[in-house]
Amino acid sequence: MRRVSIFGATGSIGQNTIDLIARAPEEYSVVALTGGANIEQLAQDARRLNAQVAVTAYDDKLDALRAALEGSGVEAAAGRTALIEAATRPADWVMSAIVGSAGLEPGLRALQQGAALALANKESMVCAGPLMLETAKTHGGRILPVDSEHSAVFQALIGEDMAAVERVVITASGGAFRDWPLEALANATPAEAATHPNWDMGQRITIDSASMFNKALELIETREFFEIEPSQIEAVVHPESLIHALVGFRDGALMAHVGPPDMRHAIGFALHWPERRDLPVARLDLAALGQLNFRKACETRWPALRLSRSVMETRGLAGAVFNAAKERALDGFLDGRIGFTQMAEVVEEVLSQLSSGDGLTPATLTLDTVMRADHLARERADAIMARRAAN
Ligand code: NAD
Ligand code: MG
């Protein structure tokens, strides 16, 4: 039996992962499931999958989790220390599906145990790509991309020589506001931003899709994961979300990965890699689809794309700064401190403040330096938002 753990089990990716695992329970021995405030879901899944331990991120939810697991034989634990402890329990395959830079350390710990890490948490690659790859290499582990675009690129590269790759194109749906007039964006509300035309995902990534911060993170993730030059990476708007990515080769061939917008494909591919197995995803009827559309990804509408270019060039701790500033700006948008279009302004200001000085320039990536950069960027973002509110 394969030992598996799921970090962020109660979220959108976590639940899709559980859906796949629960279809063949005899093949898996579940080590740890982790979640947040949704204790009922966490306990229900931990019982159903007979997990060794269930961990909530919140200390004050421990009693509730204990009560919900009573008599099940599943251990209950709570808080950051418990989460990290659970991440160090040996497992063969681990799903990293916590949202935000909070997912970095658990993923690193799993890699240090030599696990294969299915990586939905793109923030890990954005903040600490070289550290992630090096940790996997040192401990004989492996990182399997779960972000649909990166899974698509990974699949298009099977059997290919990286030296023959000319470019990588990742697609973007354009999110909730792709057809809105530019002037209307400043007044967009969180509820409006949190609806996605094609994918059903967690709230934060859905809003990041509307602002294209999600695509910006993915461009950086592409650079870090596949170790290719920024000039070889592009994003294109593809409203149908059926082609997830394309890889262009030196002979002019362009290999596209096509499939329905269902994350169980990318999750299942990572779960069964290097094999391919049956997966419960819809099969496309191409004639019924009729056509596929593409548009330029406009950097005026989506300034996050422009910002990601400088991060890909700078590398080092710039990714951690960019991601943390974005996370705080998104908090600020969600709680009404700033408007939709101000998120990119805040991130740009944090990046320019921290690019010179503050000891962030040396590119030594350790968990400590990354988390320090993350912390500093959050402080700066908060200060900038407070100053704007006061003006
Ligand atoms: P989600 O909000 O639905 O779920 C997040 C999970 O992380 C939950 O289990 C939550 O309890 C847990 N969590 C949140 N904050 C935490 C913290 N500080 N400490 C510990 N646990 C915490 O998010 P999601 O949409 O499933 O996305 C998860 C990750 O996968 C993100 O990095 C996202 O960018 C990436 N991703 C998601 C999709 C998708 O279709 N949802 C696609 C590609 C990539
Ligand atoms: Mg994606």
Side-chain angles (χ1 to χ4, degrees):
M1 290 222 282
R2 283 173 85 197
R3 298 165 301 175
V4 303
S5 287
I6 305 172
F7 307 155
T10 53
S12 164
I13 292 285
Q15 289 292 297
N16 277 308
T17 309
I18 288 175
D19 174 80
L20 293 179
I21 285 179
R23 287 166 192 261
E26 68 288 354
E27 292 185 28
Y28 305 102
S29 153
V30 175
V31 180
L33 295 184
T34 87
N38 190 347
I39 298 302
E40 200 186 328
Q41 186 72 57
L42 181 61
Q44 183 192 315
D45 290 327
R47 279 178 183 273
R48 178 160 71 119
L49 298 176
N50 195 21
Q52 247 176 46
V53 61
V55 187
T56 160
Y58 302 110
D59 291 292
D60 60 358
K61 299 274 183 213
L62 182 57
D63 289 344
L65 183 61
R66 275 204 183 119
L69 288 172
E70 198 171 347
S72 67
V74 181
E75 237 177 281
R80 186 75 187 167
T81 313
L83 171 62
I84 301 305
E85 187 280 324
T88 59
R89 296 193 185 195
D92 303 303
W93 187 89
V94 173
M95 168 54 75
S96 169
I98 287 172
V99 62
S101 60
L104 172 62
E105 187 177 359
L108 276 173
R109 297 291 172 220
L111 285 174
Q112 285 167 350
Q113 308 306 313
L117 188 71
L119 191 67
N121 179 267
K122 63 193 80 190
E123 295 88 346
S124 294
M125 287 314 289
V126 171
C127 297
L131 179 62
M132 292 289 292
L133 294 177
E134 183 193 297
T135 308
K137 201 164 149 194
T138 310
H139 297 275
R142 157 120 231 175
I143 305 174
L144 299 160
V146 170
D147 218 344
S148 55
E149 298 76 6
H150 306 76
S151 174
V153 173
F154 187 86
Q155 294 181 49
L157 286 172
I158 292 171
E160 301 287 354
D161 181 356
M162 279 307 287
V165 173
E166 203 169 59
R167 62 178 177 147
V168 169
V169 185
I170 62 173
T171 61
S173 69
F177 304 142
R178 68 183 174 214
D179 299 318
W180 279 37
L182 274 183
E183 324 71 81
L185 292 181
N187 296 317
T189 66
E192 288 165 333
T195 55
H196 197 283
N198 307 325
W199 294 91
D200 178 14
M201 310 185 286
Q203 182 204 38
R204 296 183 72 91
I205 183 177
T206 304
I207 298 177
D208 284 350
S209 297
S211 62
M212 284 265 198
F213 266 110
N214 181 50
K215 211 48 56 180
L217 294 176
E218 291 180 355
L219 288 167
I220 304 166
E221 182 186 11
T222 303
R223 196 257 169 274
E224 297 299 336
F225 196 95
F226 299 102
E227 299 181 287
I228 57 172
E229 291 304 314
S231 60
Q232 295 176 288
I233 309 170
E234 13 175 329
V236 67
V237 174
H238 167 47
E240 292 90 353
S241 296
L242 294 173
I243 294 185
H244 305 297
L246 310 94
V247 178
F249 295 92
R250 63 195 299 178
D251 59 358
L254 202 48
M255 305 293 283
H257 184 286
V258 193
D262 183 337
M263 287 307 294
R264 290 177 306 174
H265 171 75
I267 297 167
F269 179 80
L271 181 61
H272 301 306
W273 179 89
E275 284 176 38
R276 284 195 188 269
R277 299 240 202 125
D278 295 350
L279 290 174
V281 298
R283 272 45 174 179
L284 292 181
D285 178 343
L286 295 173
L289 283 172
Q291 60 179 9
L292 297 174
N293 291 281
F294 301 94
R295 306 180 203 165
K296 190 174 160 59
C298 168
E299 294 189 358
T300 310
R301 179 176 292 271
W302 295 296
L305 297 176
R306 173 173 53 79
L307 299 179
S308 75
R309 291 275 154 205
S310 74
V311 174
M312 283 193 282
E313 296 295 344
T314 313
R315 301 190 72 201
L317 293 164
V321 169
F322 178 75
N323 176 67
K326 187 282 294 178
E327 288 192 32
R328 283 311 277 163
L330 175 55
D331 293 337
F333 173 60
L334 284 169
D335 61 29
R337 275 178 291 161
I338 58 171
F340 182 77
T341 47
Q342 289 177 308
M343 287 192 284
E345 294 168 16
V346 169
V347 173
E348 182 160 21
E349 198 171 334
V350 174
L351 272 175
S352 77
Q353 279 187 16
L354 292 182
S355 62
S356 52
D358 289 309
L360 284 179
T361 335
T364 19
L365 285 186
T366 63
L367 185 59
D368 274 359
T369 59
V370 170
M371 293 324 291
R372 203 167 58 82
D374 177 283
H375 185 74
L376 199 52
R378 283 169 201 268
E379 277 181 2
R380 293 300 172 96
D382 282 339
I384 291 164
M385 290 190 282
R387 192 197 67 217
R388 282 173 173 244
N391 282 343

